Amino acid sequence: MSRSDGSSASSPWWHEGILYQVYVPSFQDGSGDGFGDLAGVVARLDYLAGLGIAAIWLSPIHESPLLDLGYDVADYRSVGRAFGDLDTFDELVAGAHARGLRVLMDLVPQHTSAEHPWFQDALRGRDGVHRDWYLWHDPAPQGGPPNNWASAFGGSAWTFHAPTGQYYYHAHLPEQPSLNWRNPQVRQAMFDVMRFWFDRGVDGFRLDAVWRLLKDEQLRDNPAGDEGESFEIGGAAAHTAVRQVQRYTADHPELPGLLAEMRAVADEYDDRVLLGELHLTLERVAALGGRRGLDVAMNFSLIDVPWRGKALGDLVRRYEAALPIGAWPNWVLSNHDRSRLATRVGVDRVRGALTLLLTLRGTPTLYYGDELGLPDAPVAAPRVRDCAALRTGDLTLGRDPERMPMPWTRDRHAGFTDPDVEPWLPVPSWATGLSVAAQEVDPRSTLRMVRSLVRYRHASDALRRGSVSVLSDDDELLVLRRESPRETLLVAISLTDRSRRLALPAGSWRTEWVTGRGPLGHVVTTAVVLPAFEAMILRRTRAA
Ligand code: NOJ
């Protein structure tokens, strides 16, 4: 593979490269059924490569009843009919690699679909070969579920199976039974699944719900409340049934050992990466990323933080302080489970937020459509598809709005699917105005800004691997200093609707990059004016 991702021989590609999440159902429909698929992704590889990213991470594409849109896998070695076939997958990997792009898959090791043959076998009886591949327990002595563990989608995490008289555990839907990772056969089966896809050229995995893999063997009750964990499923944070500290259902002391076993499987191949979904405190996420196991312990704190300069600055300091020596940071700005960036921070602050993501120290993860500044697209009741809304009956908990089909063109349905086919989620009429086609021709568009910043990042070793410090303590401004032996940069981001004067550290500075494409190349010494909601990168041209 060529090194178009800007990585260098001395550090792994995923340190300096940018990761981009493709939520496959919503990216591009290639088959004409209104649902995104692999043929659609293949058709958009040039667009993806043109972003300057290092890798795409594909949401699950396996055979699945799609109750949780693919996070309910019925066959780990397949491509599901809704998404295409193995040949198209091979074509995707070859096409991506030819363009210098890596391909990461979502691996869902915590649970299978209830339709998976392993679970179907487990249901047959207590003596079934696969019975112990799942977590079965007798009812509590007084009857009812074995303990108080709650499902992420609300209600008890235990479902009673009358024919065999036991409960099985599911961290999510009852149709997503959790696997028993203490069973060595489960480990071997899942490790073989990893090898199956590595052998097909996959460059790594994003491990779904990996912080939940092992549970307390004594089945102790979880305490009520939360201990500063981030939240896996957006609106579910507000859901009372989920307000339970995951003390005995997550972050088990033996988890690092299990992650190291997974890493050993990845080590059988060259250059493969493991990203882990971890909804824990920032300190625990930082610690798990510092151990042998996960290369990227995904840091979702930018999704939860109040979008103000001081809170953001404190977050950067806190995370940097928590990272063990040698651990590499990463930042996730959005994903398919949480309200979109533009909706969370407000349309005016999107460009500053993207600037922050792409100039922080560490691996950035972009969510599809954030490069266009897409907001959430509300979905009316009859069109709701997400189980988080359908199962709780609370439509505000649904994740459909952040999964809007990608708008590509000004055509009907914005080019996501054929104009005469109904897309699986509605494409609002305003989406065409934010489409790739519309933004390509607008020099001031968010898309063009992202591309130019990515180019700047690739060319700057201070941004790719320099140190970071936060210079501001101000709600309206965030100022970072990025420094390598060769360069010193200041990144200044305005979070306010008024121009602000920014006093500069001693030395001479040149304005090099501005979100609104304001005047560049000015040499300034004492101060610079930062226009409302803009971001600016300055380079030190002379020390004090
Ligand atoms: C986390 C995934 O990101 C989410 O979409 C899914 O519902 C749960 N894990 C269960 O797999």
Side-chain angles (χ1 to χ4, degrees), residues 177-251:
S178 293
L179 283 162
N180 173 13
W181 273 85
R182 293 187 196 282
N183 182 335
Q185 289 174 305
V186 168
R187 294 189 187 205
Q188 280 319 314
M190 208 54 83
F191 296 165
D192 284 344
V193 166
M194 292 171 72
R195 293 186 183 102
F196 174 84
W197 293 105
F198 281 145
D199 287 338
R200 289 197 106 87
V202 164
D203 298 286
F205 292 102
R206 175 264 190 190
L207 304 171
D208 183 70
V210 75
W211 82 108
R212 296 181 184 268
L213 281 188
L214 293 168
K215 292 92 184 159
D216 183 39
E217 282 183 296
Q218 296 173 45
L219 300 189
R220 282 170 283 191
D221 275 355
N222 275 332
D226 66 68
E227 281 178 346
E229 296 110 324
S230 67
F231 288 98
E232 176 184 14
I233 292 159
H239 203 275
T240 47
V242 185
R243 288 209 162 255
Q244 193 174 78
V245 179
Q246 299 291 301
R247 185 167 304 154
Y248 297 114
T249 40
D251 197 17

Side-chain angles (χ1 to χ4, degrees), residues 22 24-25 36-38 41 58-64 66 69-71 73 75 78-86 89 92 105-106 108 197:
V22 173
V24 181
D37 50 33
L38 294 182
V41 181
L58 305 172
S59 59
I61 52 158
H62 305 298
E63 196 55 62
S64 163
L66 300 177
L69 270 310
Y71 287 96
V73 178
D75 178 357
S78 69
V79 168
R81 271 155 294 173
F83 298 107
D85 54 30
L86 276 171
F89 182 79
L92 192 163
M105 290 182 96
D106 222 308
V108 187
W197 293 105

Side-chain angles (χ1 to χ4, degrees), residues 148-443:
N148 76 346
W149 294 351
S151 144
F153 291 124
S156 171
W158 297 97
T159 288
F160 189 60
H161 182 240
T164 54
Q166 284 189 309
Y167 282 86
Y168 68 88
Y169 176 79
H170 47 86
H172 302 89
L173 296 176
E175 294 88 348
Q176 293 169 305
S178 293
L179 283 162
N180 173 13
W181 273 85
R182 293 187 196 282
N183 182 335
Q185 289 174 305
V186 168
R187 294 189 187 205
Q188 280 319 314
M190 208 54 83
F191 296 165
D192 284 344
V193 166
M194 292 171 72
R195 293 186 183 102
F196 174 84
W197 293 105
F198 281 145
D199 287 338
R200 289 197 106 87
V202 164
D203 298 286
F205 292 102
R206 175 264 190 190
L207 304 171
D208 183 70
V210 75
W211 82 108
R212 296 181 184 268
L213 281 188
L214 293 168
K215 292 92 184 159
D216 183 39
E217 282 183 296
Q218 296 173 45
L219 300 189
R220 282 170 283 191
D221 275 355
N222 275 332
D226 66 68
E227 281 178 346
E229 296 110 324
S230 67
F231 288 98
E232 176 184 14
I233 292 159
H239 203 275
T240 47
V242 185
R243 288 209 162 255
Q244 193 174 78
V245 179
Q246 299 291 301
R247 185 167 304 154
Y248 297 114
T249 40
D251 197 17
H252 192 279
E254 289 161 33
L255 181 64
L258 175 52
L259 296 176
E261 284 183 43
M262 290 180 141
R263 183 60 245 174
V265 176
D267 283 344
E268 295 167 16
Y269 300 80
D270 288 338
D271 243 8
R272 311 297 158 112
V273 70
L274 295 182
L275 328 182
E277 187 200 20
L278 302 171
H279 291 279
L280 297 166
T281 64
L282 190 57
E283 284 68 22
R284 287 301 299 147
V285 171
L288 282 164
R291 313 266 302 243
R292 198 188 126 70
L294 297 176
D295 304 300
V296 177
M298 295 178 95
N299 163 17
F300 300 109
S301 55
L302 284 177
I303 299 181
D304 290 308
V305 69
W307 208 259
R308 288 191 290 277
K310 201 165 151 20
L312 287 163
D314 288 346
L315 174 64
V316 175
R317 291 186 184 112
R318 184 177 149 205
Y319 181 49
E320 287 284 337
L323 283 168
I325 291 168
W328 185 251
N330 73 90
W331 298 93
V332 180
L333 201 51
S334 306
N335 65 24
H336 62 291
D337 293 325
R338 305 298 300 270
S339 192
R340 271 194 182 271
L341 175 66
T343 301
R344 290 193 335 261
V345 306
V347 172
D348 290 331
R349 292 181 179 81
V350 166
R351 294 152 74 93
L354 289 162
T355 305
L356 177 64
L357 177 77
L358 293 167
T359 59
L360 277 167
R361 189 174 86 92
T363 308
T365 304
L366 268 172
Y367 181 49
Y368 88 95
D370 271 359
E371 74 275 26
L372 307 177
L374 290 187
D376 287 349
V379 175
R383 298 286 305 264
V384 167
R385 295 290 296 265
D386 180 33
C387 58
L390 297 173
R391 294 302 171 94
T392 57
D394 182 347
L395 296 193
T396 63
L397 301 184
R399 296 168 293 177
D400 295 323
E402 57 262 33
R403 299 172 177 182
M404 174 182 118
M406 177 83 166
W408 295 100
T409 67
R410 292 179 182 277
D411 303 319
R412 186 166 145 77
H413 306 319
F416 166 72
T417 187
D418 297 346
D420 49 354
V421 169
E422 198 50 42
W424 77 285
L425 283 177
V427 180
S429 55
W430 47 258
T432 53
L434 288 174
S435 65
V436 172
Q439 299 205 26
E440 293 279 14
V441 295
D442 175 2

